[in-house]
Amino acid sequence: HSFPTRRSSDLAIILFIVAQVLMCACSQKKGGEAASGEADSTLVADTLAIERFNYVDSAKYAYLTIDIELPQAKDDVAETIRGYLLNLVGDRLSYVGSYESERSYPLYRGKSSEASEQLAYYFKETMRLLDRLSTNDINERIGYLEEDTTFTAEQRASIISDMPSWGYDYKLVKTADTLDYVVYLSQDYTFMGGAHGSVGGDGFITFDKKDGHVVNQFVDTTRVADMQPLFIAGLKEYYTEAGDESMTTAQLFERLQLPFDGPKNQIPLPAGLPCPTSEGLLFCYGQYEIACYADGMPAFVVPYDKIKPFLSKDATQLLQSYLK
């Protein structure tokens, strides 16, 4: 699944990051390199210096890769952002493999405030978890095969040797860094032996550089109905640039798979927050959120002059230099 090419370098790199993880999911190969460069054409000299943490390991039936970029704690703002992201990593990794509200293992409870110590703990615990879960899953499959008398010994051995390993890739990378804000992308890819893997995570997280707080809302969520023309135009452009011929609004809604619990023919806001770019707000939907798996993760940018009437107070203050 690839994304359409845009003119702006910031959007192109942001979508490239997402596309790289999707290609990894489609191919069911472990690893998968993601772009980790800055993603905004308004990049400035006083960027947040980052510290990188990379972990790779594998067990008999599973592999794990973790790539983390944290800002160096050189001032109060950087320290605030660093602390938030470190907590985010713990919340994300401790729920791997959990389909309930309970964590798969406890959060770090050690005394060290060093990121390396905490991340090493999460890496170790996540690898142990994947090893245990994948081993149980493969052993259960082998048990079913041994009970099935329709297979020969050679056929069973062949099926067992071809069983795919479980995999989990987690990336937390900086995608934009400007005078006003810095954006991180939290994204994971999970494969547990099914037809294909899935892409998830916390999505784009935007920090205000004045004090390091997270912008928790970019648009007025009560005005989704009023924003429909913007979403419709953006999705038409996504599908057109992805290779489809121009489509009517009716054809767009026939293609989409909208939630059953919302108003008929009303496109919802994405589950993840929009991301500011130099051209406008980037909206990106997750897999299966509004479309089938083959349609990838629909994404589009709404220019600032069009989204301005719908911006939240926090977003308006953050993006003043873009709204003039």
Side-chain angles (χ1 to χ4, degrees):
H1 310 296
S2 60
F3 285 90
T5 301
R6 307 273 184 173
R7 289 190 299 271
S8 61
S9 61
D10 50 348
L11 176 57
I13 298 177
I14 290 173
L15 294 186
F16 176 71
I17 294 170
V18 182
Q20 287 297 296
V21 181
L22 281 173
M23 285 188 286
C24 173
C26 292
S27 64
Q28 296 184 7
K29 294 179 180 179
K30 71 178 185 177
E33 295 302 319
S36 59
E38 291 76 16
D40 201 301
S41 58
T42 56
L43 190 68
V44 293
D46 59 340
T47 58
L48 289 179
I50 60 172
E51 185 177 4
R52 292 183 173 88
F53 302 86
N54 305 105
Y55 304 89
V56 180
D57 199 3
S58 61
K60 187 174 182 179
Y61 301 116
Y63 70 86
L64 171 66
T65 65
I66 298 177
D67 297 311
I68 307 290
E69 293 180 355
L70 296 177
Q72 297 177 14
K74 294 185 175 181
D75 53 42
D76 291 343
V77 171
E79 187 171 356
T80 296
I81 296 174
R82 182 183 177 93
Y84 183 98
L85 293 174
L86 193 55
N87 289 334
L88 188 78
V89 171
D91 277 333
R92 173 56 48 183
L93 296 182
S94 64
Y95 278 103
V96 171
S98 174
Y99 295 98
E100 306 296 335
S101 59
E102 296 183 0
R103 299 181 189 278
S104 297
Y105 58 81
L107 290 172
Y108 175 79
R109 298 300 183 190
K111 297 180 180 179
S112 176
S113 60
E114 291 294 326
S116 58
E117 293 291 331
Q118 297 183 45
L119 294 177
Y121 165 80
Y122 289 121
F123 174 67
K124 177 181 178 181
E125 291 300 317
T126 304
M127 188 69 254
R128 290 175 58 185
L129 173 69
L130 291 175
D131 186 15
R132 184 176 72 253
L133 293 178
S134 62
T135 298
N136 291 342
D137 175 63
I138 297 298
N139 287 341
E140 185 176 1
R141 296 189 190 204
I142 292 175
Y144 288 140
L145 280 172
E146 292 175 343
E147 294 174 0
D148 193 332
T149 58
T150 62
F151 293 106
T152 65
E154 290 78 10
Q155 288 173 326
R156 290 194 190 93
S158 177
I159 294 172
I160 292 172
S161 65
D162 289 336
M163 284 184 178
S165 294
W166 282 34
Y168 184 77
D169 299 282
Y170 178 67
K171 293 174 173 60
L172 179 65
V173 295
K174 185 174 71 170
T175 61
D177 198 344
T178 76
L179 282 170
D180 303 306
Y181 62 80
V182 59
V183 180
Y184 273 81
L185 174 64
S186 167
Q187 192 170 69
D188 59 16
Y189 160 66
T190 307
F191 178 69
M192 294 184 175
H196 56 72
S198 61
V199 176
D202 305 284
F204 293 107
I205 307 144
T206 302
F207 298 90
D208 191 322
K209 272 195 168 181
K210 291 192 300 293
D211 55 13
H213 82 271
V214 176
V215 181
N216 288 316
Q217 194 55 261
F218 274 91
V219 296
D220 184 348
T221 58
T222 67
R223 302 187 63 191
V224 175
D226 297 329
M227 288 185 274
Q228 288 303 294
L230 303 179
F231 295 168
I232 291 170
L235 288 170
K236 283 182 179 179
E237 184 179 4
Y238 170 80
Y239 283 111
T240 299
E241 293 190 359
D244 291 354
E245 297 180 358
S246 59
M247 58 172 56
T248 65
T249 300
Q251 290 172 329
L252 173 65
F253 281 106
E254 287 178 4
R255 175 123 185 192
L256 297 178
Q257 298 177 352
L258 299 179
F260 293 108
D261 58 350
K264 184 178 180 181
N265 285 356
Q266 179 169 300
I267 302 166
L269 286 168
L273 289 176
C275 168
T277 75
S278 61
E279 291 187 353
L281 281 189
L282 166 67
F283 292 81
C284 184
Y285 291 88
Q287 290 177 326
Y288 295 115
E289 192 173 354
I290 60 168
C292 65
Y293 181 84
D295 282 359
M297 298 169 67
F300 54 87
V301 167
V302 179
Y304 285 120
D305 61 341
K306 294 183 179 180
I307 200 66
K308 181 178 179 179
F310 306 103
L311 291 177
S312 67
K313 182 179 179 180
D314 197 10
T316 299
Q317 293 176 344
L318 179 76
L319 301 170
Q320 286 181 7
S321 59
Y322 294 94
L323 304 176
K324 296 177 180 179

